[in-house]
Amino acid sequence: MGSKTPEDHQQTPDASNSGGLKPANPDPKASKNGSGSADLDQGIVSDEDDDDDDNAKGEARMNIASNADKKKKRKRSKKKKTKHGSLTATELKQTNPPRVLLSSLFPVEYPKGELIPYENLSRETDEENRYNSRLWDPDFLPDYRQAAEIHRQVRHYAQKELIKPGASLLSIAEGIEDSVRALSGHPGLEPGDGLKASLGFPTGLCRNHETAHYTPNPGDKEVLLDKNDVLKVDFGVHINGRIVDSAFTIAFDHKYDNLLAAVKAATNTGIQHAGVDARMKEIGAAIQEVMESYEVELDGKLYPVKAIRSLTGHNILRYHIHGDKQVPFVKNNSSQKMEEGDVFAIETFGSTGKGYTRDDGNAVYGYGRNENVSAANLRLASAKSLLKTIDANFGTIVFNRRYLERLGVKSYHLGMRHLIDQGIIEQYGQLADIKGSYTAQFEHTILLHSGGKEVISRGDDY
């Protein structure tokens, strides 16, 4: 989720023509390929030799083989029941649409993200740094990895089944959101349930020059996806307030390939330069250099791809999608730097337009609770009642009108206006570049461990 600064060919997120759905890293013990033999121990990425583990696995395979004949002689067990509760975890498979609880698919541990050791290996070998770096509580990594795997499975479903020419944006948003709630096991219809696990913010579905912060809302005119559209899909998943924020762009026409490739390469450049002690001004300069090395030809005219300077990446705090640090996509004079234990959303936006966005006034994206403003002096009864519902169901998680009406809340407009006027609730609008331009976005959440970074939301799609 971007932070503002002080039947045709389908272009898939990996910038390739793909006809099938790629697996979402089904092996919970298999890491991505960011670091040959990288592993993690309570926030430390390690490159230790795995020979002993391999030998143990080899012996285990031999034992299994030697017992195979014995098992064949045993009496056959009764036919397995078809209900999920009657199957072992390894026999369970995700359904379409995704509705199998993720904890049932991964009863031991959730898949790791892409593990990348820092180039400065002294952080791995210095004993003091190794053992003073465990900044996270024991639930931190399981929560984040569960949220990331939910994101991967849901977006794969969306890419394959939901996002097609002619589909309504409302059906895409609800398909994503219903799947996230199902996999987390928290429908969010009872007070407090949505604070345990749910969406990290409303699903963003922005077309073409619309850059960030549009989601379908009650009363909106139905919007259908066109085969000429460039669609940015930005959604978040949280488990116990640990938010995974990741986004991708889909187009159905080859002519947008270079635009998507530019932004994807820029985001990966940001990830490459991120790490403990990395400075925002250096990351921003590297991102801009890569992104603006691309051009895209549209209908016979050549357009430079511009890094959007009015949006930034950002750190993520518990139950807060935007923290106090920003990662610009352009050269800047920021004195901020990344620190061990930080969680960042590394995202970039590229445009064929001006490279600058404004609130176009056409739509309200959502609302967020300002916890620094007291509600003690509220007098309007409707505002008090609405705030009680917001605090019980969302806390500081960003929400929208659809989410309120899903809870059965009615006649809330006057109360909401009063809360906004008092500064208790902040309102977020849609952001867009100039009409006629096209924008793209790619985004990943990364965790900064002591010995390396984990691209927690990395998948086989992007």
Side-chain angles (χ1 to χ4, degrees):
M1 178 179 171
S3 175
K4 293 201 295 185
T5 51
E7 242 125 297
D8 285 333
H9 159 80
Q10 176 168 332
Q11 177 63 50
T12 55
D14 63 354
S16 65
N17 224 352
S18 173
L21 181 65
K22 297 182 180 179
N25 191 12
D27 182 358
K29 295 184 179 179
S31 65
K32 305 299 290 182
N33 297 327
S35 62
S37 60
D39 200 0
L40 179 138
D41 177 20
Q42 294 228 352
I44 299 170
V45 176
S46 168
D47 287 318
E48 293 177 0
D49 196 327
D50 291 332
D51 287 346
D52 291 341
D53 289 343
D54 292 341
N55 291 337
K57 290 176 183 175
E59 292 175 6
R61 292 191 194 100
M62 292 175 65
N63 290 334
I64 291 170
S66 66
N67 289 329
D69 292 336
K70 295 179 183 178
K71 290 182 179 178
K72 288 179 182 178
K73 295 177 183 178
R74 293 177 186 167
K75 186 178 179 180
R76 279 190 174 183
S77 59
K78 293 181 179 179
K79 189 176 181 179
K80 297 171 187 172
K81 297 179 182 179
T82 57
K83 294 196 175 183
H84 295 157
S86 304
L87 298 174
T88 65
T90 55
E91 293 164 333
L92 280 174
K93 294 185 183 300
Q94 191 51 266
T95 58
N96 185 16
R99 293 295 182 265
V100 179
L101 198 64
L102 198 73
S103 57
S104 299
L105 296 176
F106 299 96
V108 179
E109 65 175 344
Y110 297 106
K112 299 180 177 73
E114 179 187 21
L115 303 172
I116 308 173
Y118 299 128
E119 293 181 6
N120 179 8
L121 298 181
S122 64
R123 296 196 68 86
E124 293 183 62
T125 57
D126 186 307
E127 288 296 311
E128 184 177 355
N129 280 335
R130 282 177 67 93
Y131 292 101
N132 287 339
S133 65
R134 298 180 179 182
L135 306 177
W136 301 320
D137 65 59
D139 294 328
F140 180 92
L141 286 174
D143 285 349
Y144 254 110
R145 288 172 177 167
Q146 181 183 3
E149 183 60 22
I150 290 174
H151 198 288
R152 276 189 290 271
Q153 292 197 14
V154 171
R155 74 186 190 231
H156 284 167
Y157 163 66
Q159 290 160 12
K160 182 180 180 182
E161 302 291 343
L162 299 178
I163 304 171
K164 298 176 180 179
S168 73
L169 297 192
L170 179 60
S171 69
I172 296 171
E174 290 183 337
I176 288 171
E177 292 163 358
D178 289 346
S179 297
V180 168
R181 295 181 183 114
L183 298 198
S184 70
H186 292 276
L189 294 174
E190 297 296 327
D193 193 47
L195 296 175
K196 297 175 183 176
S198 190
L199 283 303
F201 48 85
T203 302
L205 298 171
C206 297
R207 299 171 304 138
N208 308 328
H209 73 288
E210 299 166 356
T211 307
H213 298 179
Y214 172 77
T215 196
N217 268 305
D220 287 358
K221 181 180 178 181
E222 184 179 48
V223 178
L224 302 181
L225 195 59
D226 188 83
K227 65 180 181 179
N228 294 313
D229 283 340
V230 176
L231 180 70
K232 293 156 289 294
V233 183
D234 187 357
F235 70 98
V237 180
H238 90 83
I239 303 293
N240 295 316
R242 274 83 186 231
I243 306 171
V244 167
D245 182 3
S246 188
F248 58 93
T249 301
I250 281 183
F252 305 100
D253 193 313
H254 278 297
K255 67 183 181 181
Y256 302 112
D257 285 5
N258 260 20
L259 174 61
L260 272 63
V263 180
K264 183 180 178 184
T267 296
N268 285 329
T269 298
I271 292 170
Q272 178 186 348
H273 285 78
V276 175
D277 298 330
R279 298 188 177 278
M280 308 306 182
K281 62 182 181 180
E282 295 170 359
I283 298 172
I287 289 172
Q288 183 177 19
E289 181 179 3
V290 169
M291 188 180 301
E292 297 189 350
S293 67
Y294 284 77
E295 295 177 324
V296 56
E297 184 177 343
L298 300 176
D299 302 323
K301 185 175 180 180
L302 203 60
Y303 295 87
V305 178
K306 297 178 182 177
I308 294 181
R309 61 188 183 276
S310 52
L311 298 173
T312 71
H314 49 93
N315 67 323
I316 301 173
L317 304 177
R318 194 170 187 182
Y319 289 107
H320 293 80
I321 186 59
H322 292 150
D324 55 356
K325 297 180 180 180
Q326 295 181 319
V327 188
F329 320 143
V330 295
K331 294 178 182 178
N332 62 89
N333 295 318
S334 173
S335 61
Q336 290 185 326
K337 65 179 182 178
M338 296 180 172
E339 298 175 274
E340 187 178 307
D342 279 346
V343 179
F344 274 94
I346 302 296
E347 62 181 322
T348 68
F349 292 82
S351 176
T352 63
K354 290 185 175 297
Y356 192 86
T357 59
R358 289 182 172 84
D359 185 338
D360 64 7
N362 288 334
V364 174
Y365 166 73
Y367 309 93
R369 173 75 156 94
N370 187 345
E371 61 183 351
N372 297 317
V373 177
S374 172
N377 296 323
L378 272 181
R379 295 289 180 265
L380 193 64
S382 61
K384 286 183 178 180
S385 176
L386 179 59
L387 184 60
K388 183 178 179 181
T389 298
I390 291 169
D391 286 343
N393 292 277
F394 308 112
T396 53
I397 295 287
V398 178
F399 62 96
N400 66 2
R401 286 161 44 206
R402 271 192 301 113
Y403 295 3
L404 284 176
E405 296 191 11
R406 182 175 177 269
L407 295 172
V409 180
K410 299 178 180 179
S411 303
Y412 54 85
H413 297 283
L414 178 61
M416 182 68 79
R417 174 47 55 192
H418 189 67
L419 292 174
I420 293 170
D421 291 342
Q422 296 297 312
I424 296 169
I425 295 294
E426 296 181 8
Q427 178 176 290
Y428 308 108
Q430 175 180 291
L431 303 174
D433 202 333
I434 57 171
K435 288 186 177 181
S437 65
Y438 294 90
T439 59
Q441 173 193 19
F442 280 93
E443 176 180 26
H444 277 300
T445 296
I446 66 169
L447 315 180
L448 299 185
H449 301 278
S450 173
K453 54 200 165 191
E454 181 171 359
V455 189
I456 195 73
S457 55
R458 182 74 81 188
D460 293 326
D461 49 349
Y462 66 92

